[in-house]
Amino acid sequence: MADYHDDLRLAHVLADAADAATMDRFKALDLKVETKPDMTPVSEADKAAEELIRSQLQRARPRDAILGEEYGIEGTGPRRWVVDPIDGTKNYVRGVPVWATLISLMEAGKGGYQPVVGVVSAPALGRRWWAAKGAGAYSGRSLSSATRLSVSKVSRLPDASFAYSSLSGWEERGRLNGFLDLTRSVWRTRAYGDFWPYMMVAEGSVDICAEPELSLWDMAANAIIVQEAGGRFTGLDGVPGPHSGNAAASNGLLHEELLDFLDPRH
């Protein structure tokens, strides 16, 4: 099995740089925010963090491609870094601390590119999570100060905690009834939003989570961390990995039931 330790260390270095840049502008009164063509916000901090990550990757891994939310794809080849400079921009611009930089390395293989390294860094929460293929998932302050992650063993929906981002996306895609039926079937629901539910699935504090519409940079790092913690990460169609345009993550024991509620056709 390939050793991704050097790539993981680099991802941490990139996350350190991004954390410094994003925290410097968090809650800044003069933060500049624009609206993108898809009507989602982008701040100067999003752009600065991605530019910083790109410049460091171009020096450290000049042969690798880079895909980022703000500046698209650059380069070709079997290795591709995927970056969301600030996942949770709406939180960021309002001063809510639930946002993170997502960094993943994907490699070409069967079924297309698959994540092999992932780092999710949430500096305003003082939290970071990471994983590498075959090496497990961890959380902590650094590579040398970490706790290994493991999903929960909850096996019944009436005992399960379900996390999501919002109701509107499910309604817009005609999936609201199944979503509401699921919320009535579980022990508790919480709308933590964005990257955080996936990290809590990996930690075992949440059992299932799902979102109806996502981009690859929203999912790649989350997917490898959930999988390496012993969970499952698929699209709502049940296809493993981060390529379905939506996501369902679980401890594995509840995954089929989760999909049955949210996409009975899977």
Side-chain angles (χ1 to χ4, degrees):
M1 181 175 290
D3 182 357
Y4 298 103
H5 187 69
D6 287 346
D7 295 310
L8 182 59
R9 290 183 70 87
L10 173 59
H12 275 271
V13 171
L14 299 172
D16 289 343
D19 286 355
T22 52
M23 285 300 291
D24 183 58
R25 299 299 291 155
F26 184 48
K27 296 187 178 181
L29 296 179
D30 60 344
L31 182 72
K32 295 182 176 63
V33 182
E34 304 168 13
T35 300
K36 293 191 287 190
D38 64 0
M39 301 309 292
T40 61
V42 57
S43 74
E44 62 182 87
D46 291 78
K47 294 180 177 180
E50 184 168 324
E51 288 168 355
L52 191 61
I53 291 170
R54 283 176 177 270
S55 66
Q56 292 200 17
L57 278 172
Q58 286 161 354
R59 289 195 298 271
R61 296 288 190 276
R63 296 182 180 179
D64 294 352
I66 308 169
L67 171 65
E69 179 176 10
E70 306 308 334
Y71 296 105
I73 184 75
E74 183 177 355
T76 59
R79 288 164 48 97
R80 177 181 297 172
W81 293 86
V82 179
V83 177
D84 188 343
I86 300 179
D87 182 52
T89 298
K90 292 176 182 177
N91 283 345
Y92 184 88
V93 301
R94 290 297 303 270
V96 178
V98 184
W99 49 271
T101 296
L102 277 53
I103 301 169
S104 178
L105 172 63
M106 304 185 75
E107 285 193 343
K110 292 182 179 178
Y113 286 86
Q114 296 299 331
V116 294
V117 167
V119 171
V120 172
S121 191
L125 293 176
R127 300 293 310 279
R128 184 177 291 186
W129 303 261
W130 63 88
K133 185 178 180 181
Y138 296 85
S139 178
R141 294 288 182 177
S142 66
L143 280 167
S144 59
S145 176
T147 301
R148 187 155 186 168
L149 304 180
S150 181
V151 296
S152 76
K153 293 180 170 59
V154 173
S155 60
R156 298 175 64 251
L157 276 182
D159 301 326
S161 180
F162 170 49
Y164 61 98
S165 284
S166 70
L167 289 174
S168 58
W170 299 100
E171 186 171 30
E172 290 165 5
R173 286 155 193 84
R175 299 177 188 257
L176 185 59
N177 288 340
F179 174 88
L180 292 175
D181 286 343
L182 175 60
T183 66
R184 298 180 186 110
S185 301
V186 298
W187 170 55
R188 74 195 300 251
T189 61
R190 287 292 183 272
Y192 299 110
D194 302 303
F195 68 94
W196 208 7
Y198 303 96
M199 298 304 97
M200 286 192 272
V201 168
E203 291 178 337
S205 53
V206 162
D207 310 300
I208 53 177
C209 68
E211 289 183 90
E213 184 180 26
L214 293 166
S215 298
L216 180 60
W217 46 76
D218 298 313
M219 296 184 281
N222 295 338
I224 183 71
I225 293 171
V226 169
Q227 290 164 349
E228 286 295 323
R232 284 184 65 186
F233 188 105
T234 73
L236 297 177
D237 54 10
V239 176
H243 293 289
S244 296
N246 46 50
S250 77
N251 62 6
L253 301 173
L254 299 167
H255 206 82
E256 292 303 320
E257 289 179 275
L258 172 63
L259 296 179
D260 285 341
F261 275 99
L262 300 180
D263 189 353
R265 302 163 299 171
H266 85 273

